[in-house]
Amino acid sequence: MKEHFLLFDYCNMLLCSIKPSLMFCLNDLHGTRLARVLTTVDLVSLGVGSCVGTGMYVVAGLVAKEMAGPGVILSFIIAAVASILSGVCYAEFGVRVPKTTGSAYTYSYVTVGEFVAFFIGWNLILEYLIGTAAGASALSSMFDSLANHTISQESYPDLLALLIAMLVTVIVGLGVKNSVSFNNVLNVVNLVVWVFMVLAGLFFLSGANWEDGRFLPYGWSGVMQGAATCFYAFIGFDIIATTGEEAKSPDTSIPYAITVSLVTCLTAYVSVSVILTLLVPFNLIDGDAPLMEMFADHGFLAGKYIVAVGAVAGLTVSLLGSLFPMPRVIYAMAGDGLLFRFLSFVSPHTETPVVACAVSGSLAALLALLVSLRDLIEMMSIGTLLAYTLVSVCVLLLRYQPDKDGFTSFLTEEEEEERKRKEEMMAANNGTEVDDSNSLLKRILGSHYYTIRMRLGLPNLGDRPTPATGRTVTSCVLLFFILTFFLWTLVIYGFDQVSGGARWAILPFIMTVIVLMVTLVIIILRQPENPKKLPYMAPCVPFVPTAAMLVNIYLMLKLSSITWVRFVVWCALGVLIYFSYGMWNSSLELSAREEAAHASSYQRYDTEVDDSFNVDEDLPPQEDEEDGQYQGWAAEERGYQKHYQQHYDEQRPSNSHNYRSKGRTNKGFEELVNEEYSPE
């Protein structure tokens, strides 16, 4: 019997000692860590720069001429509302998961599982790939306009766009601090020219351009279609969240930078759209360089060349803003094994993912060489809208899950202590009230707030979520997501396309879907929220996330059919890569294989133990980890959250240069034992 105890203790000690080493090999994927050098000002500059470039110098004129006319002003406002709704959800995620890279991909990996995360990451790559190519193509068109279109007459494909994309790739690959400093300088130039355009344009305004039905020449349908395209111009806050691992103080910098970026960009777009459509009739706007040519049309050539300087600066910054996050998403996906692992290599000299930079920049340059700017812009928004929609879904899920569900707890001990300290400080400042996440609603509704809570059967402030309530919320959110697609399909392709009796026949179906969606929101409201407090939390949950889902999905369905065809082709390519490579080489799969090897090896040590002896007889009962805890959408991927926590615990920046492992081990259990416990 004593020998059995010794054998059992030795096996436990051996497994506990070896498993961290195995997890170190499993999780040290990226080599050198990314440098944490970005300040709040740097994040704001990146966000504003990536927006106020192609969006201002190209998209405003394109949408005004072909989709909305002067109604482009309303298109930008609607797109901004959609961006703000998604932005506050992004900001909360950036605070929950501050020390990560990959943005929506990483957030989704933590909350909804591997396949959905791959799907989101794949679409983010599409977004940035097309954005980079569009920026290079826009710069090429601007130079062509300055040269009186002699470049486009002499060369095709667009070799100049290819060279521009490759040059910016080199700049990004040199290091984050170098590229951000360059970005900040160009941003100042761009903003100065923006102020000049607004002030100089005041001398050439003509109110006749908005009269006699010219403000909405394509109707509200054109405004909404323009809003779907204008959403392309508001992707700047995504780069802020993507660079969270490189920010010095992500828990405060990310929310602030997102808010400032969105407000600044909306102001810039609306002011420029007003000036453009009042200076030039919408049907006469130049499609390639609208802001430059609007002054040339009035004989103000000096203004044209001043705008050209701003266009060079703004489009270069926008190009940097699109190329900068793309290799970081690829880096994160490759580090998790969903893309080829060599893409996760980080240069010890520049501390950037140089291989991912080179590959992504080359692909963007190829697109800029072969595809026209207009086709690139039309395909830009759909992947972004889908990714932002799923981020809203994730933040809604997180708010209603119990504490120890694995969704919100994967920080190191030091970070967990810091989080608890901040929670205590916020609780002391807020008084005795347990939950203040709906404080905005309280201010709006006043004394009616508690009356409405009581009549709707909302939970008490002291209630806590349970696995059952978490599953209820997940089911409701999934059903709401599906019904939203169904609702807007009925409205866009049914109600808006028919007239007379057919329209009234569709109306009952639309009303039924709306009633079901309202019911689902009420059911979610009646579930208790997680009381954890963060430095920043999205307001008015579940209303803000559900509103973001509604607006984003509507804008997705307003995009052209050819855009959906291209999107489906891209997604099919991604699914092929996932099922042929990613699924078999992912961190989750390799971790599961290692755990299976541990289990089978452990059984061999225990084969001679007397069956009548039960080691657990004198031990206190332990709760099954799976019973009583909500497992989320990826319940089949057991042990997944523990793996992801160790993935970040092992890879701390302070020891970033000491890592040596470049991949996963495929050695057997005995070989690892011999290596770990060799005589040396």
Side-chain angles (χ1 to χ4, degrees):
M1 186 70 66
K2 183 177 180 180
E3 290 78 4
H4 290 164
F5 272 116
L6 293 174
L7 178 61
F8 180 79
D9 292 340
Y10 174 74
C11 293
N12 274 331
M13 179 188 70
L14 195 60
L15 288 171
C16 293
S17 300
I18 292 177
K19 190 168 184 179
S21 299
L22 292 175
M23 292 307 297
F24 179 85
C25 295
L26 284 170
N27 293 320
D28 186 18
L29 308 175
H30 306 282
T32 304
R33 299 298 92 209
L34 303 179
R36 303 184 67 84
V37 296
L38 298 180
T39 64
T40 303
V41 175
D42 291 332
L43 292 179
V44 172
S45 179
L46 282 171
V48 172
S50 65
C51 290
V52 186
T54 308
M56 186 165 70
Y57 290 99
V58 177
V59 173
L62 176 67
V63 173
K65 182 176 183 178
E66 299 187 0
M67 300 178 188
V72 65
I73 300 167
L74 301 177
S75 296
F76 273 123
I77 293 174
I78 294 169
V81 170
S83 299
I84 291 170
L85 292 173
S86 299
V88 294
C89 297
Y90 248 105
E92 178 172 327
F93 261 126
V95 172
R96 285 183 182 271
V97 198
K99 302 183 187 306
T100 61
T101 191
S103 185
Y105 160 74
T106 303
Y107 305 153
S108 303
Y109 200 111
V110 171
T111 54
V112 297
E114 181 182 273
F115 177 73
V116 176
F118 176 87
F119 190 74
I120 291 177
W122 188 246
N123 285 304
L124 286 176
I125 294 173
L126 173 67
E127 168 194 334
Y128 298 132
L129 187 66
I130 295 177
T132 303
S137 183
L139 267 173
S140 177
S141 297
M142 188 273 302
F143 286 125
D144 182 45
S145 179
L146 286 175
N148 294 321
H149 303 285
T150 56
I151 299 176
S152 59
Q153 293 175 1
E154 295 178 2
S155 63
Y156 187 85
D158 196 344
L159 295 175
L160 181 58
L162 172 70
L163 294 176
I164 292 171
M166 296 305 297
L167 177 62
V168 175
T169 300
V170 172
I171 294 174
V172 171
L174 288 177
V176 59
K177 193 59 183 176
N178 295 329
S179 57
V180 170
S181 299
F182 180 61
N183 179 87
N184 292 345
V185 172
L186 295 180
N187 240 348
V188 172
V189 175
N190 186 29
L191 294 179
V192 169
V193 173
W194 162 40
V195 174
F196 166 79
M197 283 190 293
V198 174
L199 295 179
L202 296 176
F203 295 94
F204 303 100
L205 301 182
S206 175
N209 293 332
W210 284 13
E211 296 176 354
D212 301 326
R214 296 180 182 177
F215 187 79
L216 295 177
Y218 302 101
W220 280 101
S221 179
V223 170
M224 299 307 298
Q225 184 181 358
T229 304
C230 287
F231 195 87
Y232 160 79
F234 287 96
I235 63 171
F237 71 83
D238 184 57
I239 184 180
I240 297 171
T242 303
T243 54
E245 188 175 343
E246 294 159 279
K248 291 181 178 179
S249 303
D251 57 344
T252 56
S253 297
I254 291 177
Y256 179 80
I258 287 176
T259 303
V260 173
S261 297
L262 288 175
V263 172
T264 303
C265 294
L266 176 60
T267 305
Y269 293 147
V270 170
S271 59
V272 166
S273 298
V274 169
I275 296 297
L276 175 63
T277 54
L278 284 175
L279 260 69
V280 184
F282 74 91
N283 58 323
L284 299 179
I285 292 175
D286 185 272
D288 295 325
L291 299 186
M292 289 170 50
E293 297 299 330
M294 73 177 181
F295 286 118
D297 290 344
H298 290 272
F300 186 30
L301 295 181
K304 172 181 178 178
Y305 292 110
I306 292 175
V307 173
V309 173
V312 172
L315 292 173
T316 303
V317 170
S318 183
L319 181 55
L320 280 169
S322 295
L323 184 57
F324 188 84
M326 178 165 51
R328 284 149 179 81
V329 175
I330 296 174
Y331 156 86
M333 296 178 69
D336 291 322
L338 299 182
L339 293 177
F340 305 106
R341 291 193 182 276
F342 71 88
L343 295 171
S344 65
F345 173 75
V346 176
S347 168
H349 303 291
T350 63
E351 295 183 301
T352 56
V354 291
V355 177
C357 282
V359 172
S360 57
S362 300
L363 290 175
L366 185 63
L367 271 179
L369 177 70
L370 301 175
V371 183
S372 69
L373 175 61
R374 184 165 302 175
D375 291 336
L376 289 172
I377 291 178
E378 287 178 355
M379 194 179 170
M380 182 65 194
S381 297
I382 188 167
T384 312
L385 286 165
L386 180 59
Y388 292 176
T389 301
L390 293 178
V391 166
S392 302
V393 169
C394 293
V395 77
L396 193 52
L397 292 176
L398 281 170
R399 282 294 191 92
Y400 291 93
Q401 307 307 324
D403 283 336
K404 297 181 180 180
D405 58 359
F407 278 78
T408 58
S409 179
F410 64 99
L411 302 177
T412 63
E413 293 182 2
E414 295 80 3
E415 294 164 353
E416 189 68 25
E417 291 177 0
E418 178 68 14
R419 182 188 62 78
K420 290 179 179 179
R421 185 185 65 82
K422 290 181 179 180
E423 285 183 7
E424 292 174 357
M425 292 178 59
M426 286 186 287
N429 293 333
N430 292 331
T432 58
E433 191 172 80
V434 178
D435 184 6
D436 66 340
S437 60
N438 288 321
S439 58
L440 180 60
L441 282 177
K442 294 176 187 177
R443 290 195 294 268
I444 295 174
L445 298 175
S447 60
H448 300 290
Y449 174 77
Y450 292 100
T451 303
I452 294 175
R453 288 184 63 92
M454 182 180 64
R455 292 185 177 179
L456 291 177
L458 303 185
N460 296 323
L461 295 179
D463 292 345
R464 297 293 182 269
T466 64
T469 62
R471 287 190 291 270
T472 300
V473 171
T474 301
S475 301
C476 291
V477 171
L478 285 173
L479 188 55
F480 187 92
F481 181 80
I482 295 171
L483 287 176
T484 302
F485 268 100
F486 186 58
L487 171 66
W488 294 133
T489 301
L490 286 176
V491 171
I492 295 173
Y493 299 105
F495 197 77
D496 288 349
Q497 300 296 327
V498 297
S499 59
R503 173 175 294 185
W504 292 107
I506 297 174
L507 188 60
F509 293 98
I510 295 176
M511 297 304 299
T512 301
V513 174
I514 292 175
V515 170
L516 289 174
M517 294 171 69
V518 171
T519 303
L520 291 174
V521 173
I522 293 175
I523 294 174
I524 294 173
L525 274 171
R526 299 183 67 175
Q527 312 308 314
E529 286 190 43
N530 192 306
K532 283 188 176 180
K533 300 189 188 311
L534 299 169
Y536 177 83
M537 301 181 74
C540 300
V541 174
F543 300 109
V544 166
T546 52
M549 293 164 60
L550 284 167
V551 176
N552 292 346
I553 292 174
Y554 178 81
L555 294 178
M556 286 175 62
L557 293 175
K558 287 296 290 185
L559 294 170
S560 64
S561 57
I562 188 62
T563 300
W564 276 93
V565 171
R566 293 166 179 162
F567 177 68
V568 169
V569 171
W570 174 260
C571 291
L573 178 60
V575 169
L576 179 63
I577 293 175
Y578 176 78
F579 284 107
S580 62
Y581 176 85
M583 185 174 68
W584 308 104
N585 295 275
S586 70
S587 301
L588 297 180
E589 176 65 21
L590 294 176
S591 179
R593 292 177 190 171
E594 295 290 349
E595 290 180 1
H598 298 162
S600 61
S601 301
Y602 178 80
Q603 291 298 325
R604 289 199 296 273
Y605 284 101
D606 200 33
T607 53
E608 301 299 327
V609 177
D610 185 1
D611 292 337
S612 62
F613 175 74
N614 187 355
V615 179
D616 296 332
E617 285 179 350
D618 298 329
L619 297 178
Q622 297 181 357
E623 183 181 2
D624 190 335
E625 292 183 359
E626 296 181 8
D627 293 339
Q629 293 191 18
Y630 177 64
Q631 298 297 311
W633 292 359
E636 69 278 2
E637 297 169 347
R638 307 301 184 190
Y640 148 67
Q641 298 294 343
K642 294 181 180 178
H643 155 71
Y644 217 86
Q645 173 159 355
Q646 289 188 339
H647 176 72
Y648 286 103
D649 289 348
E650 295 288 349
Q651 300 173 355
R652 302 304 302 153
S654 59
N655 299 322
S656 60
H657 295 281
N658 297 328
Y659 290 102
R660 291 293 181 267
S661 174
K662 297 299 180 185
R664 303 198 181 283
T665 177
N666 291 321
K667 296 181 179 180
F669 181 82
E670 290 82 5
E671 294 178 31
L672 289 167
V673 172
N674 294 332
E675 290 181 4
E676 187 74 12
Y677 290 90
S678 60
E680 292 83 333

